Amino acid sequence: MSKRLTRAQLDQLSKFTTPTICNAIEMFRIRRRNEGFMTPEVVCRFPDIGPMIGYAVTATHRAREEAQPSSSVDMNAYYEYILSQSAPRLLVSQDLDDPPVGALFGEVNATIHKALGCVGHITNGGVRDLDECHRIGFQYFSKYVLVSHAYVHLESFGQPIRIGGIMVRPGDLIHADQHGICLIPHTIALELAAACRTMEALERPLIKLARSPSLTPAKLTATRATMRKKFEEASKRFAQAATETQ
C-alpha cells in the first residue's frame, strides 16, 4: 500500500470540493469515469461543515433484533482497531437490516468516535441526534434519519463492506462533501492536489468567457477546444506519474 499522506497534504485536498476531486482523478486515467464514488442515496447531513477527508475504518451493524451472545463483538478490540488505523478516520458502517430500523450513531457514539480520531460517519442506514452532532462538528452521511437506536449492535469490523454501490476497504482514502462521496486511489494521492489545481486552471478561461458579454458560439467552441487539448496534455503527464508510482 502506498505511503499515507501527511496532515498538511490531507489539508490541501480538503480545500477542494468532491466534484473537483473526481474531475482531477480522471486526469490520471486510473479508473473509468463512472467508478469510484457512491450512489446518491447516501446523503450529506451537514453541508455547511464542508469537505471531509479521512481513512476508512469499517464495520457492519444490525438493530432489528438483539445481538446473539455467540456473535457478540469485543468492543475493546473494536476501539483498539480504530486507534490502530491512520488518522483522520471515517467510520464507514454497512447496515445489514433491510430496511434499517435503528441508528448506530447518535450524540453518544459520535462523541466517542470523535475522541477516537474519527471526523465523520458514513452508512447506508440511519443516523440521529442531528443538532447535537452538528454542534460538535461531526459529519454524517446516511441514507436515512432515524428516531431510535432499537437493538443496534456491531456484527463485525475491519472487513471490506459495500455501501452506495461500491466496496469500501479498511484504509481507503475518502473525500466527501455535500455532493457525495469519492474514493481516492492511494497511488495518485500525492499528486492529486496538483491535479486539482490544474483542473481549476483549465476551467477558468471557459467560465470567464461564459460570464463575458462578448460570448459568441464561435468563441465558446474555440475555448472548449483549447481546454480539451490542454486537458489531454496534462492528463498524459499525470497518467505517467501514476504509472511511475505503482
Side-chain angles (χ1 to χ4, degrees):
M1 182 177 292
S2 299
K3 183 179 179 181
R4 292 294 197 259
L5 300 187
T6 65
R7 180 75 252 189
Q9 290 166 336
L10 290 167
D11 287 344
Q12 284 189 51
L13 290 174
S14 71
K15 297 182 186 302
F16 299 103
T17 67
T18 306
T20 297
I21 293 288
C22 286
N23 287 351
I25 290 173
E26 293 175 3
M27 302 183 81
F28 293 88
R29 302 176 181 177
I30 198 169
R31 68 186 181 205
R32 289 173 55 83
R33 293 186 179 189
N34 60 353
E35 298 175 348
F37 52 88
M38 291 192 186
T39 45
E41 70 266 16
V42 183
V43 176
C44 177
R45 298 299 166 186
F46 309 131
D48 61 301
I49 288 180
M52 173 183 74
I53 189 166
Y55 293 99
V57 291
T58 63
T60 63
H61 68 277
R62 294 184 187 275
R64 187 170 297 279
E65 301 293 343
E66 295 184 65
Q68 297 299 312
S70 60
S71 62
S72 180
V73 167
D74 182 337
M75 293 304 295
N76 185 69
Y78 168 70
Y79 296 140
E80 291 288 355
Y81 156 68
I82 293 175
L83 291 174
S84 73
Q85 303 302 299
S86 297
R89 307 173 180 103
L90 299 173
L91 195 285
V92 189
S93 186
Q94 180 179 354
D95 193 325
L96 300 176
D97 288 331
D98 187 15
V101 296
L104 178 64
F105 269 65
E107 181 183 12
V108 172
N109 223 5
T111 303
I112 290 171
H113 282 75
K114 185 174 183 179
L116 295 173
C118 294
V119 296
H121 171 49
I122 300 171
T123 183
N124 62 317
V127 295
R128 63 181 191 156
D129 294 339
L130 300 185
D131 291 343
E132 293 86 348
C133 293
H134 180 269
R135 193 175 300 124
I136 65 172
F138 191 86
Q139 184 62 279
Y140 274 163
F141 287 81
S142 70
K143 189 173 181 180
Y144 303 99
V145 174
L146 297 173
V147 68
S148 174
H149 54 211
Y151 293 109
V152 75
H153 59 275
L154 293 179
E155 289 274 308
S156 67
F157 62 86
Q159 302 295 323
I161 58 175
R162 188 169 184 84
I163 290 180
I166 62 174
M167 294 298 298
V168 178
R169 296 170 175 81
D172 278 351
L173 182 57
I174 294 176
H175 192 286
D177 68 6
Q178 61 185 322
H179 303 93
I181 302 161
C182 173
L183 298 184
I184 297 175
H186 289 293
T187 53
I188 67 169
L190 281 171
E191 300 293 330
L192 189 55
C196 287
R197 289 189 289 270
T198 299
M199 193 70 234
E200 289 184 334
L202 289 174
E203 292 174 338
R204 203 165 294 126
L206 188 60
I207 294 171
K208 182 178 179 180
L209 175 63
R211 292 171 176 169
S212 169
S214 65
L215 173 68
T216 66
K219 289 181 179 179
L220 181 58
T221 300
T223 303
R224 288 181 67 89
T226 299
M227 177 182 169
R228 283 195 296 269
K229 180 181 178 181
K230 290 183 176 180
F231 177 89
E232 289 303 319
E233 292 171 351
S235 182
K236 288 179 182 178
R237 296 195 304 272
F238 285 112
Q240 180 62 36
T243 300
E244 292 172 355
T245 59
Q246 288 180 358

